[in-house]
């Protein structure tokens, strides 16, 4: 099994161009099956999840070409509406194929998706919304079978929680439905907006993406287009945090500062000098961090659940105690055991964790259990005295393109072995 070996204590500085957003490219690639043409998606990150999504498209009969960060998909040859557990079991976000395949083909069979171990993430919101649009859903032991007796019908759907996946699935299903669909209490994440921009370029009629109410007027057909994926806000925050935790400085290019404002504000309030202009972010550490009095995760524009493991590691080197409350995923604290091995005092009860800031961390052998938790362990190892070895790096590489290379370019002593 691959692992990272990190010798901590190096001050990181440099300029990094951030990858395209993982959480944008996957639903956008899934949305290409709605079209009858040829789509070219630029700024696609070279991630294992991206490769798996391309493999799913090929299994469905689509023709694909991936070259230098651009993926071209021709879905005119779509011939299959079934996704096996072999593919879906590796990636939770494979569920986003449900809505577009149902809208395009009127039938889909999909094995239950897998992915990061973040606790139960039921897809009831997806299925209830599709049922309101006229879909018939059979939930079998190992798979879902959905079909439509006739064309999907527009509906007014109110989500009980602003789920990103459900918003994406229902928005994609609605673009080819008959009539108007209104999604209330929709997710507002920048990746939702990016998906809507792509679909509108293909001929969809979507208004309100980025707000809590999205309106979709169904059309009969979508064509192809070219689209450039937005920069990855979580990857951008990770590189800024790497500079902050090592007392360094960094410039991150390619991410819209507005998309990570909640994280930038906390970095600024707790001891770093932060600045930004269009698609360019700067951070300079001003010394040891002050503690984060209270961080509570929430749907966008609140503090993102993906950012919690990063800030747990920052809090470990801060002055004073920091309090975290996780409201989205119950298993978001996967990095706690590894941090404790590095000398961090963390007290956890349910969804709340209290981190006692430490003057110095020490290297340790730890294991990544999920994507963002693994990234958090890398941050801690960069700041720790001595050598750390991090197993389970396949989780990390699901979300970070050229992670070792980028950190090395900033001055980190990190290698994959």
């Amino acid at each position: 099994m691959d692992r990272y070996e990190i010798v901590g204590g190096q001050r990181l500085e440099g300029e990094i161009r951030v990858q395209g957003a993982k959480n944008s490219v996957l639903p956008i690639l899934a949305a290409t099956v709605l079209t009858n043409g040829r789509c070219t998606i630029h700024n696609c990150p070279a991630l294992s999840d991206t490769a798996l999504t391309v493999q799913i498209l090929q299994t469905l009969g689509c023709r694909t070409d991936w070259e230098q960060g651009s993926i071209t998909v021709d879905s005119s040859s779509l011939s299959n509406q079934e996704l096996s557990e072999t593919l879906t079991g590796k990636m939770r976000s494979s569920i986003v194929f449900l809505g577009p395949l149902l809208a395009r083909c009127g039938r889909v069979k999909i094995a239950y998706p897998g992915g990061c171990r973040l606790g139960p993430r039921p897809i009831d919101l997806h299925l209830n919304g599709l049922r309101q649009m006229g879909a018939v859903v059979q939930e079998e032991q190992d798979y879902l079978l959905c079909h439509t007796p006739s064309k999907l019908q527009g509906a007014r759907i109110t989500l009980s929680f602003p789920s990103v996946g459900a918003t994406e699935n229902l928005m994609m299903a609605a673009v080819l439905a008959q009539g108007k669909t209104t999604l209330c209490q929709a997710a507002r994440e920048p990746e939702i907006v990016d998906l809507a921009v792509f679909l509108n370029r293909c001929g969809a009629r979507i208004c309100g993406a980025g707000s809590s109410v999205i309106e979709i007027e169904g059309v009969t057909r979508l064509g192809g287009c070219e689209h450039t994926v937005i920069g990855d806000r979580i990857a951008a925050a990770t590189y800024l945090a790497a500079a902050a935790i090592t007392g360094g400085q960094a410039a991150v290019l390619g991410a819209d500062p507005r998309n990570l404002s909640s994280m930038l504000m906390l970095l600024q309030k707790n001891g770093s000098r932060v600045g930004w202009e269009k698609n360019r972010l700067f951070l300079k550490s001003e010394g040891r961090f002050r503690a984060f009095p209270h961080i509570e995760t929430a749907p966008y524009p609140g503090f993102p659940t993906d950012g919690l493991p990063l800030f747990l590691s920052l809090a470990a080197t801060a002055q004073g105690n920091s309090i975290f409350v996780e409201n989205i995923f119950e298993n978001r604290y996967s990095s706690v055991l590894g941090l404790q091995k590095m000398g961090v005092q963390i007290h956890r009860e349910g969804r709340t964790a209290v981190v006692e800031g430490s003057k110095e961390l020490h290297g340790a052998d730890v294991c990544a259990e999920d994507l963002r938790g693994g990234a958090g362990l890398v941050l801690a190892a960069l700041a720790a005295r001595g050598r750390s070895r991090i197993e389970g790096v396949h989780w990390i590489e699901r979300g970070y393109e050229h992670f070792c290379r980028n950190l090395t370019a900033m001055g980190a002593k990190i290698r994959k072995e």
Side-chain angles (χ1 to χ4, degrees):
M1 181 181 291
D2 291 337
R3 65 181 180 181
Y4 293 155
E5 182 177 276
I6 300 170
V7 178
Q10 311 303 312
R11 182 177 182 271
L12 268 58
E13 60 178 282
E15 185 174 275
I16 295 292
R17 176 164 291 279
V18 80
Q19 67 200 50
K22 167 187 180 288
N23 292 336
S24 267
V25 71
L26 304 184
I28 287 172
L29 288 173
T32 61
V33 305
L34 288 162
T35 74
N36 290 298
R38 188 179 169 92
C39 298
T40 299
I41 315 302
H42 303 294
N43 202 28
C44 295
L47 307 172
S48 56
D49 276 10
T50 312
L52 186 59
T53 304
V54 169
Q55 189 179 351
I56 289 174
L57 288 167
Q58 293 168 343
T59 300
L60 295 173
C62 302
R63 292 187 288 271
T64 65
D65 180 67
W66 188 353
E67 188 174 353
Q68 295 183 341
S70 295
I71 298 176
T72 298
V73 182
D74 183 349
S75 62
S76 61
S77 56
L78 184 74
S79 57
N80 181 27
Q81 301 90 43
E82 296 189 9
L83 294 180
S84 70
E85 192 275 336
T86 303
L87 295 174
T88 62
K90 299 175 182 177
M91 186 174 68
R92 171 70 189 183
S93 55
S94 59
I95 193 65
V96 295
F97 279 93
L98 181 61
L101 280 173
L102 187 63
R104 168 86 183 267
C105 307
R107 177 187 178 278
V108 57
K109 181 179 179 181
I110 181 168
Y112 288 105
C116 275
R117 306 161 184 171
L118 297 176
R121 289 189 275 176
I123 57 173
D124 295 355
L125 295 180
H126 306 240
L127 303 183
N128 291 340
L130 291 172
R131 286 186 175 110
Q132 289 179 62
M133 298 173 71
V136 177
V137 181
Q138 296 174 236
E139 299 181 61
E140 304 295 338
Q141 183 176 350
D142 299 321
Y143 62 88
L144 288 167
L145 182 61
C146 302
H147 71 277
T148 54
S150 59
K151 197 174 178 67
L152 287 172
Q153 301 296 310
R156 185 177 183 86
I157 302 168
T158 300
L159 298 175
S160 59
F161 177 83
S163 159
V164 173
T167 300
E168 291 168 342
N169 244 331
L170 297 175
M171 188 166 70
M172 288 188 281
V175 296
L176 292 183
Q178 222 166 29
K180 180 179 177 179
T181 298
T182 302
L183 298 180
C184 301
Q185 198 165 292
R188 300 167 57 188
E189 273 73 0
E191 294 81 13
I192 298 289
V193 178
D194 202 22
L195 175 60
V197 169
F198 165 74
L199 289 169
N200 284 341
R201 283 181 176 154
C202 293
R205 298 173 63 186
I206 302 171
C207 296
S211 74
S212 58
V213 179
I214 302 176
E215 295 182 338
I216 308 105
E217 194 71 47
V219 298
T220 57
R221 185 180 183 278
L222 294 182
C225 77
E226 287 195 39
H227 179 77
T228 300
V229 173
I230 62 172
D232 194 307
R233 59 194 170 107
I234 305 300
T238 303
Y239 292 118
L240 294 177
I245 202 169
T246 60
Q249 60 183 13
V252 177
L253 313 181
D256 188 331
R258 295 170 297 181
N259 293 345
L260 57 154
S261 59
S262 63
M263 292 181 283
L264 294 179
M265 286 169 50
L266 284 170
L267 289 168
Q268 194 170 42
K269 286 180 180 179
N270 291 275
S272 290
R273 186 185 302 170
V274 180
W276 56 84
E277 55 192 36
K278 185 179 181 182
N279 290 335
R280 186 180 180 93
L281 297 154
F282 310 90
L283 180 143
K284 183 177 181 181
S285 175
E286 294 293 312
R288 194 173 169 204
F289 265 107
R290 295 186 295 274
F292 304 102
H294 186 88
I295 293 180
E296 189 163 344
T297 64
Y300 189 86
F303 184 84
T305 179
D306 280 353
L308 185 141
L310 311 179
F311 279 71
L312 276 178
S313 294
L314 289 171
T317 63
Q319 294 174 324
N321 295 347
S322 301
I323 299 173
F324 294 84
V325 180
E326 168 56 41
N327 293 314
I328 312 298
F329 297 130
E330 67 179 42
N331 290 345
R332 182 54 87 184
Y333 291 110
S334 70
S335 63
V336 165
L337 180 59
L339 292 175
Q340 289 171 333
K341 287 183 177 180
M342 294 180 180
V344 185
Q345 297 295 314
I346 301 180
H347 310 280
R348 184 186 164 200
E349 185 173 338
R351 293 180 178 268
T352 300
V354 178
V355 182
E356 296 182 21
S358 170
K359 290 184 179 179
E360 189 172 61
L361 308 182
H362 56 77
D365 291 347
V366 297
C367 185
E369 298 290 344
D370 61 57
L371 166 53
R372 304 304 175 187
L377 292 175
V378 170
L379 293 182
L382 291 171
R385 173 178 48 85
R387 189 180 308 272
S388 297
R389 295 179 178 86
I390 301 176
E391 304 278 357
V393 301
H394 65 283
W395 291 113
I396 301 169
E397 293 178 351
R398 289 183 55 200
Y400 293 93
E401 180 182 58
H402 309 314
F403 200 35
C404 279
R405 189 171 78 188
N406 288 339
L407 290 172
T408 299
M410 295 175 69
K413 289 188 176 180
I414 178 173
R415 66 188 180 96
K416 185 176 177 180
E417 54 181 22

